[in-house]
Amino acid sequence: MSRTTIADVAREAGVTKATVSHALSGNRPISEETRAKVLAAAEKLNWVPSQSARALATRRANAVAVVLARDPEVIANDSFFPAFIAGVESVLSETETALILQVVPDREAEERAYRALTHGRADGALLLDLRDDDWRVPFLDDLGLPTVLVGAYEQPTAFSCVRTDDAAPVREIIGHLRAAGHERIAHVSGPLDYVHSRARADAYIATMGDDALLREGDFTAASGRALTEELLALPQRPTAIVYSNDTMAIAGLSFARSQSLVIPDDLAISGFDDDHLSAHLSPALTSVSSDPAARGRAAARLLRADILGAHPRTEIVDCNVVHFRESTAAPSTASPTVSRRTP
Amino acid sequence: MSRTTIADVAREAGVTKATVSHALSGNRPISEETRAKVLAAAEKLNWVPSQSARALATRRANAVAVVLARDPEVIANDSFFPAFIAGVESVLSETETALILQVVPDREAEERAYRALTHGRADGALLLDLRDDDWRVPFLDDLGLPTVLVGAYEQPTAFSCVRTDDAAPVREIIGHLRAAGHERIAHVSGPLDYVHSRARADAYIATMGDDALLREGDFTAASGRALTEELLALPQRPTAIVYSNDTMAIAGLSFARSQSLVIPDDLAISGFDDDHLSAHLSPALTSVSSDPAARGRAAARLLRADILGAHPRTEIVDCNVVHFRESTAAPSTASPTVSRRTP
DNA sequence: GTGAAAGCGCTAACAG
DNA sequence: CTGTTAGCGCTTTCAC
């Protein structure tokens, strides 16, 4: 392992440890000459400062954390997460900051995880899957851990926040469906205590005027199927269903088909998240893409600023784009189109 | 932050720091009575040992790393990765071990990342996306970082390895296609320097007898489309194409359709990885599921053992299952079937 | 501009 | 069974 330490480098360069340290950090003026000597020695000995020693001395871990309290199966089927992480990483790597990922089974484990992280493992955290009145927000505030909320958290908070407008695409889809003559438009939401599910459902209710055709799912294929079955069994069945993710939409589409309904003639369908395969389904699925990587980048930048002591702020990353495809096309419509950016 | 230290707890409990340390670690016999006092004090002061101090003292980071040198877009569209990580985490969380994720743009950055990790950030690494003669293998060996290879690495190595049999499902699919009367069966592979692409392509060549209809793609939809176009333009076009992932298969399927070919009547198609939407396509896509979570768990367990000083060993996680669906069904075949485990 | 020395918070000999 | 004493490898005052 790391047998060579800063002392070896100092000896090799003929200076003291302090000089080596400063030559690398630039925290105090160093003559060009000695700096060169130090760098040469470091290079020669192939030395890299120990992160753990540095973390202890500076009280900074140079790492941020994402703790996920999700079922592994849900993680595996989520198209948002990997792209989000990729975005986060692209920013963190600029400053040699590591990303610590932790998946926990329950709340107790999650609290323990955050406590451990706070004490020397991470300098900040990214909070996903926000819920109304999320317990983690005051908890992390208490812990004093810099945190960025990803999602439209409504309660007052001192944390930075990356939001998107989830309502606009819902309004746009419903508008599109209505223009095509649809009146009985249903919505299959995600769990309504998630703020993003809630925002979409609220936009649906506001646009439709009531929640008679709203059904609460849980983002799994199973719930998409079950709720579609329920909706199609209504005396006045809906002619269109707006789903809160692609997985549920596909499951619903399959079920509707198994009942000999033709999509979109008998039933129009739209999803959310724009899974990379959705455009290739047949019929191609109308969905909302949301540039998770852009949101990851924004979140990472805000967190970095917060850790450095900046004032928390909210950034709106408006990247939701509705892709209208065959699953909502009127029978005559030929080629799929992409809408402009949602306003 | 962590203002309370082990000294505070020791004072509160009326013992020394060493006793506190051992009361928690169990590294030496402690009377039930003092242990209780210590735990009570720790609880009261809400103390959690500092990871960075512990890491420095024990020369162990209690973390393992995964470094990914991939394009963010590829990460976002990969169905293997999130499930694999979830599996890894399920094992790591048992021992409070953190997972450090790092995405790097190029080889230079990757080397730096591994160097930094070795020095106090991580105790081991998981290597994905293995290539023939992968430079990382000797490099990490040099660094002395315990490592587990995920994939069928063929060169001699002192590292532990989690392998699967990628050849068996390819043979099974080709056998199935031949039984259905197909003779001109093509293969669109991933980059052939990836060991898993290579293994699948080799199985294809061995089974077919030649590589006349083998085309090398890069796992992206664009390459799937382009190579399908190329294959379908042949004087004697193939009647079946075996793709090395679902993304390329779907892109190929879309293209074939745009040429008015009927799937599977005019062209049979199969994928790999069994994306969660693949079963819902129309026609449903024949694909190979490989339980990435199981492989993640196996890799994490091997790595933990290696870090503890166990002898490296190779574990075969045989979890590839071919799901025969409509895209390879003979026109008459009614319902999709699932094969037995590949032998 | 550089050196010397004192920690950061914990673990691990070594005593007793 | 418990206390004492050194460090782990770095950063950071404080002198010079």
Side-chain angles (χ1 to χ4, degrees):
Chain A
M1 296 300 234
S2 167
R3 277 292 111 243
T4 76
T5 77
I6 195 173
D8 301 322
V9 178
R11 197 176 315 116
E12 174 78 25
V15 297
T16 63
K17 298 192 293 174
T19 304
V20 174
S21 175
H22 291 127
L24 267 89
S25 70
N27 276 353
R28 81 182 184 191
I30 295 272
S31 79
E32 254 327 308
E33 191 189 338
T34 53
R35 145 172 277 121
K37 271 196 310 200
V38 168
L39 293 183
E43 175 78 14
K44 176 175 171 201
L45 298 182
N46 219 342
W47 172 77
V48 176
S50 153
Q51 287 294 335
S52 39
R54 181 187 293 222
L56 182 57
T58 59
R59 312 153 138 281
R60 178 149 294 172
N62 291 312
V64 303
V66 173
V67 178
L68 245 37
R70 294 193 194 178
D71 187 67
E73 200 227 336
V74 175
I75 296 175
N77 294 344
D78 181 15
S79 44
F80 172 85
F81 185 66
F84 177 81
I85 291 298
V88 169
E89 268 296 339
S90 69
V91 170
L92 293 185
S93 63
E94 296 167 359
T95 54
E96 312 255 271
T97 304
L99 206 213
I100 293 177
L101 198 61
Q102 214 152 342
V103 179
V104 296
D106 52 41
R107 170 159 175 176
E108 195 201 349
E110 193 168 3
E111 290 195 12
R112 266 212 318 282
Y114 281 120
R115 281 228 164 70
L117 288 167
T118 310
H119 295 251
R121 246 214 205 310
D123 307 317
L126 258 25
L127 235 51
L128 300 177
D129 297 335
L130 287 167
R131 296 171 185 266
D132 290 334
D133 269 320
D134 203 303
W135 65 267
R136 298 172 297 175
V137 175
F139 179 81
L140 288 170
D141 209 357
D142 248 42
L143 241 41
L145 190 69
T147 299
V148 170
L149 311 180
V150 181
Y153 194 67
E154 300 293 349
Q155 280 76 34
T157 162
F159 288 141
S160 285
C161 190
V162 176
R163 332 181 43 136
T164 52
D165 185 355
D166 274 287
V170 172
R171 283 194 298 267
E172 186 177 351
I173 292 170
I174 294 177
H176 178 88
L177 291 169
R178 277 184 167 154
H182 290 278
E183 287 172 358
R184 292 193 304 285
I185 303 171
H187 178 48
V188 174
S189 73
L192 290 174
D193 52 343
Y194 280 130
V195 296
H196 60 298
S197 298
R198 183 79 246 173
R200 294 168 194 173
D202 283 347
Y204 165 81
I205 295 170
T207 311
M208 295 302 293
D210 67 81
D211 64 357
L213 292 177
L214 169 65
R215 295 294 181 279
E216 180 177 359
D218 63 4
F219 287 137
T220 65
S223 77
R225 185 192 189 287
L227 296 172
T228 303
E229 180 165 12
E230 186 182 323
L231 285 165
L232 294 182
L234 291 176
Q236 292 260 65
R237 70 165 184 76
T239 62
I241 306 181
V242 175
Y243 294 82
S244 202
N245 78 351
D246 282 8
T247 303
M248 295 192 295
I250 305 299
L253 191 150
S254 295
F255 175 78
R257 259 211 183 124
S258 73
Q259 305 297 296
S260 306
L261 294 184
V262 175
I263 315 295
D265 304 45
D266 299 327
L267 182 70
I269 279 178
S270 75
F272 229 102
D273 289 348
D274 200 31
D275 189 287
H276 71 294
L277 292 188
S278 295
H280 297 285
L281 298 168
S282 169
L285 181 68
T286 290
S287 192
V288 181
S289 66
S290 69
D291 204 348
R295 297 165 70 183
R297 288 193 298 270
R301 275 192 292 258
L302 282 176
L303 185 54
R304 183 165 62 191
D306 286 1
I307 291 170
L308 262 34
H311 276 297
R313 51 196 202 78
T314 289
E315 188 167 318
I316 298 184
V317 179
D318 215 348
C319 43
N320 283 331
V321 178
V322 183
H323 300 267
F324 287 106
R325 305 199 181 100
E326 297 156 11
S327 70
T328 53
S332 52
T333 303
S335 60
T337 59
V338 171
S339 84
R340 77 205 172 298
R341 235 151 207 274
T342 57
Chain B
M1 295 304 231
S2 167
R3 278 290 112 243
T4 76
T5 77
I6 195 172
D8 301 322
V9 177
R11 197 175 317 114
E12 173 78 26
V15 297
T16 63
K17 297 193 295 173
T19 304
V20 174
S21 175
H22 292 127
L24 267 89
S25 69
N27 275 353
R28 78 183 188 190
I30 294 272
S31 78
E32 254 328 305
E33 192 190 337
T34 53
R35 146 171 276 122
K37 271 197 308 201
V38 169
L39 293 183
E43 175 78 14
K44 177 177 172 200
L45 299 182
N46 217 343
W47 172 77
V48 176
S50 151
Q51 286 294 334
S52 39
R54 183 190 294 233
L56 182 57
T58 58
R59 314 157 134 282
R60 176 148 296 172
N62 291 310
V64 303
V66 173
V67 177
L68 245 37
R70 293 193 195 179
D71 188 66
E73 199 226 338
V74 176
I75 296 175
N77 294 344
D78 181 15
S79 44
F80 173 84
F81 185 67
F84 177 80
I85 291 298
V88 169
E89 268 295 339
S90 70
V91 171
L92 293 185
S93 62
E94 295 167 0
T95 53
E96 313 255 270
T97 304
L99 206 212
I100 292 176
L101 198 60
Q102 214 152 341
V103 179
V104 295
D106 51 40
R107 170 160 175 175
E108 195 201 348
E110 193 168 2
E111 289 194 13
R112 265 213 318 282
Y114 280 121
R115 280 229 165 69
L117 287 167
T118 310
H119 294 252
R121 244 212 207 311
D123 306 318
L126 257 25
L127 236 52
L128 299 178
D129 297 336
L130 286 167
R131 295 170 185 267
D132 290 335
D133 269 321
D134 202 304
W135 64 267
R136 299 172 297 175
V137 175
F139 180 81
L140 288 170
D141 209 358
D142 248 41
L143 241 41
L145 190 67
T147 299
V148 170
L149 312 180
V150 181
Y153 195 69
E154 299 293 350
Q155 279 76 34
T157 161
F159 288 140
S160 284
C161 189
V162 176
R163 331 181 43 134
T164 53
D165 185 354
D166 273 288
V170 172
R171 284 194 298 266
E172 186 177 352
I173 292 169
I174 295 177
H176 178 90
L177 291 169
R178 278 181 166 159
H182 290 278
E183 288 173 357
R184 292 192 305 284
I185 303 171
H187 179 47
V188 174
S189 73
L192 289 175
D193 53 342
Y194 281 129
V195 295
H196 59 299
S197 298
R198 185 78 247 173
R200 294 168 194 173
D202 282 347
Y204 165 81
I205 296 170
T207 311
M208 295 301 294
D210 68 81
D211 63 358
L213 293 177
L214 168 65
R215 295 294 181 279
E216 181 177 358
D218 64 4
F219 287 137
T220 64
S223 78
R225 185 192 188 287
L227 295 173
T228 302
E229 180 166 11
E230 185 181 324
L231 285 166
L232 294 182
L234 292 176
Q236 290 260 64
R237 69 165 185 78
T239 61
I241 306 181
V242 175
Y243 294 83
S244 202
N245 78 351
D246 282 9
T247 303
M248 295 191 296
I250 305 298
L253 191 151
S254 295
F255 175 78
R257 257 210 184 124
S258 73
Q259 305 298 297
S260 308
L261 294 184
V262 175
I263 315 294
D265 304 44
D266 298 327
L267 183 69
I269 278 178
S270 74
F272 229 102
D273 289 349
D274 200 31
D275 189 287
H276 71 294
L277 292 188
S278 296
H280 297 286
L281 298 167
S282 170
L285 181 68
T286 289
S287 191
V288 181
S289 65
S290 69
D291 202 348
R295 297 164 70 182
R297 289 192 297 271
R301 275 193 291 258
L302 282 175
L303 185 54
R304 182 165 62 192
D306 285 1
I307 291 170
L308 263 34
H311 274 298
R313 50 194 202 78
T314 289
E315 188 168 319
I316 298 184
V317 179
D318 215 347
C319 44
N320 284 330
V321 178
V322 183
H323 299 266
F324 287 106
R325 305 200 180 99
E326 295 155 13
S327 71
T328 54
S332 53
T333 303
S335 60
T337 59
V338 171
S339 86
R340 75 204 175 298
R341 233 149 210 277
T342 59

